[in-house]
Amino acid sequence: MTSFPRTSALMQRGAEFLGSEHAILCGAMSWVSERNLVAAISNAGGFGVIACGAMTPDLLDREIAGTKALTAKPFGVNLITMHPQLFDLIEVCSRHGVSHVVLAGGIPPKGSVEAIKAFGAKVLVFAPTLALAKKLLRSGADALVIEGSEAGGHIGPVATSVLVQEFLPSLAEDHIVFVAGGIGRGDMMAAYLEMGASGVQLGTRFACATESIAHPAFKAAFFRANARDAVASVQVDPRLPVIPVRALKNKGTEEFTAKQVEVAKLLDAGTIEMGEAQLQIEHYWAGALRRAVIDGDVENGSLMAGQSVGMVTKEEPVADIVAALLGECEEALARR
Ligand SMILES: Cc1cc2nc3c(=O)[nH]c(=O)nc-3n(C[C@H](O)[C@H](O)[C@H](O)COP(=O)(O)O)c2cc1C
């Protein structure tokens, strides 16, 4: 087996925390991160995370069982904080003895972190600002993921290169911090690890792996695309704050603009409240992503992708991608 001593030394804390060989998470990707990809990542020594997205508790129950049938290695479950059945989903994780839960999509609601820790699982959270990160870590979160705007899917406004400078100097010594967004090669991993990150999280680079069930047309769109094709959605109405989504430009991008106008009108007419308006937008994304990933409708569906998409050029087994990343990281560290 090839070894990566410098990389492993820098990843040691992160790998121990995850219980995996390498501190490389494959971030949850709705519809893509199901049992096959998740198990493949964990079997390759990384850490797979099931995307629960809009799943019902029953579906999550089956997905966890299905993943366990494919791997004996640890994996996590990503839950969206605004899911109306969040606490039922946590209960499903508890029943399965899930070891790590990632809370995404906003500030964890009261009691959620406690409910996860109560069955012994570790909690990973996202935080857009340093102040919030400190607060979440103080109130029980075990690790942090900082994700820059280069990433695919829902994004914040700040680039990874800036976030790491804001967060790592004050948090990395005492806390487990994983860095996500825009990582396409191991050289970049080396830089973040040297700055104190405990590990990294990638999505785009793994979305088209051989084991990913994404439709061949979805994968082909990724192989054709360059960094500049992965654009952030625009907000059309200042009263309707929508979280931007980074995806490959297509007809679906324009349809999202039309969808926002439609929802804003309902808001104006008083037909729906702000919470419902935002939920409608999120449901829109879930449906559009399914159309692209599962049905292969790359014209009208959502091709969520990060700017590292230009570095995704062919279908490769997860193990090869992990090995390439580790090799590049090790080489970069050896050059220092
Ligand atoms: C197709 C796609 C779907 C995604 N869906 C989710 C999701 O459901 N929940 C989530 O927390 N993050 C989601 N993400 C973000 C990833 O988990 C990961 O953090 C991100 O892809 C990392 O940045 P990168 O794309 O630059 O590698 C998604 C990303 C992609 C590309």
Side-chain angles (χ1 to χ4, degrees), residues 27-30 78 104 147 150-153 181-182 201-204 289 304-306 308:
M29 294 176 276
S30 290
N78 175 304
E147 182 176 61
E150 300 94 321
Q201 168 163 310
L202 289 78
T204 300
L289 184 59
M304 289 185 192
S308 63

Side-chain angles (χ1 to χ4, degrees), residues 34-296:
E34 48 71 76
R35 64 190 75 182
N36 292 289
L37 183 63
V38 173
I41 299 276
S42 291
N43 286 335
F47 190 83
V49 180
I50 295 175
C52 175
M55 271 187 203
T56 59
D58 258 7
L59 278 176
L60 178 64
D61 184 43
R62 269 179 270 160
E63 210 49 50
I64 296 173
T67 308
K68 278 183 170 172
L70 297 175
T71 185
K73 302 270 178 74
F75 61 88
V77 173
N78 175 304
L79 301 177
I80 307 290
T81 52
M82 68 171 90
H83 195 296
Q85 289 173 290
L86 178 65
F87 285 87
D88 298 330
L89 297 168
I90 292 175
E91 210 279 310
V92 173
C93 293
S94 157
R95 230 185 306 130
H96 281 281
V98 168
S99 58
H100 298 72
V101 175
V102 184
L103 288 176
I107 300 167
K110 208 170 175 344
S112 55
V113 172
E114 292 81 352
I116 296 165
K117 292 181 73 113
F119 65 86
K122 297 193 169 92
V123 184
L124 291 84
V125 294
F126 287 84
T129 65
L130 183 58
L132 185 59
K134 286 181 176 166
K135 187 165 178 260
L136 291 172
L137 290 165
R138 263 199 317 273
S139 50
D142 298 295
L144 192 68
V145 184
I146 51 175
E147 182 176 61
S149 57
E150 300 94 321
H154 291 73
I155 52 169
V158 183
T160 311
S161 59
V162 174
L163 289 179
V164 290
Q165 297 175 74
E166 282 186 355
F167 285 67
L168 293 178
S170 41
L171 294 181
E173 203 172 308
D174 298 326
H175 300 283
I176 305 279
V177 184
F178 298 101
V179 174
I183 301 173
R185 289 182 51 93
D187 320 52
M188 200 69 249
M189 288 169 28
Y192 295 143
L193 290 170
E194 281 186 320
M195 285 182 74
S198 296
V200 291
Q201 168 163 310
L202 289 78
T204 300
R205 187 75 177 82
F206 287 120
C208 298
T210 312
E211 295 89 341
S212 153
I213 58 147
H215 195 281
F218 180 92
K219 294 185 180 180
F222 267 52
F223 303 150
R224 278 195 305 270
N226 296 313
R228 62 181 55 225
D229 300 320
V231 296
S233 62
V234 286
Q235 182 180 325
V236 296
D237 192 317
R239 288 158 314 148
L240 181 61
V242 293
I243 304 164
V245 165
R246 188 176 297 288
L248 300 181
K249 261 182 293 190
N250 64 0
K251 237 168 79 197
T253 319
E254 288 157 37
E255 271 166 34
F256 175 57
T257 309
K259 177 72 189 176
Q260 286 185 74
V261 174
E262 179 195 315
V263 175
K265 277 188 186 145
L266 293 175
L267 201 60
D268 269 349
T271 321
I272 55 169
E273 303 276 330
M274 179 60 82
E276 169 60 20
Q278 282 171 320
L279 218 55
Q280 281 203 17
I281 298 283
E282 288 317 308
H283 284 151
Y284 170 84
W285 281 123
L289 184 59
R290 185 186 194 287
R291 252 183 289 157
V293 174
I294 306 295
D295 307 337

